[in-house]
Amino acid sequence: MIDIGTGGGLPGVPLKILLPDIKMLCLDSTGKKVKAIENMLKDLNLDGIEVVWGRAEEIGLQKKYRGIFDFALARGWRRSEI
């Protein structure tokens, strides 16, 4: 499962806690947020979850990540925010 634009780790980190058997990748384009999630995961001692700094359109082209996810999560937005 991939959480695209995870921000502060939502919903990726709570889902990983609720579903410990899944593999989760949290992706965000802001390095500061990625570092914060990495620190959070270290404190929570969670395994099977990876945090990546990058843009989805670039990471998706990398062989390591291409076509490996069964589910993708992304925040929605209201039309007025576009």
Side-chain angles (χ1 to χ4, degrees), residues 11-78:
V13 174
L15 277 173
K16 179 60 183 171
I17 292 169
L18 289 172
L19 305 167
D21 294 336
I22 64 169
K23 290 183 181 177
M24 175 68 70
L25 180 108
C26 293
L27 173 67
D28 203 273
S29 62
T30 306
K32 204 174 196 180
K33 293 176 184 177
V34 168
K35 276 289 183 203
I37 297 168
E38 288 173 341
N39 290 333
M40 181 189 331
L41 295 176
K42 199 180 299 180
D43 290 342
L44 293 171
N45 198 25
L46 283 178
D47 292 325
I49 184 166
E50 182 182 356
V51 187
V52 174
W53 176 28
R55 298 189 53 82
E57 53 271 35
E58 295 168 357
I59 297 298
L61 295 175
Q62 294 180 14
K63 189 175 181 180
K64 178 180 178 182
Y65 299 113
R66 186 116 182 116
I68 65 166
F69 302 103
D70 293 321
F71 298 97
L73 309 167
R75 285 183 295 169
W77 61 86
R78 295 189 309 258

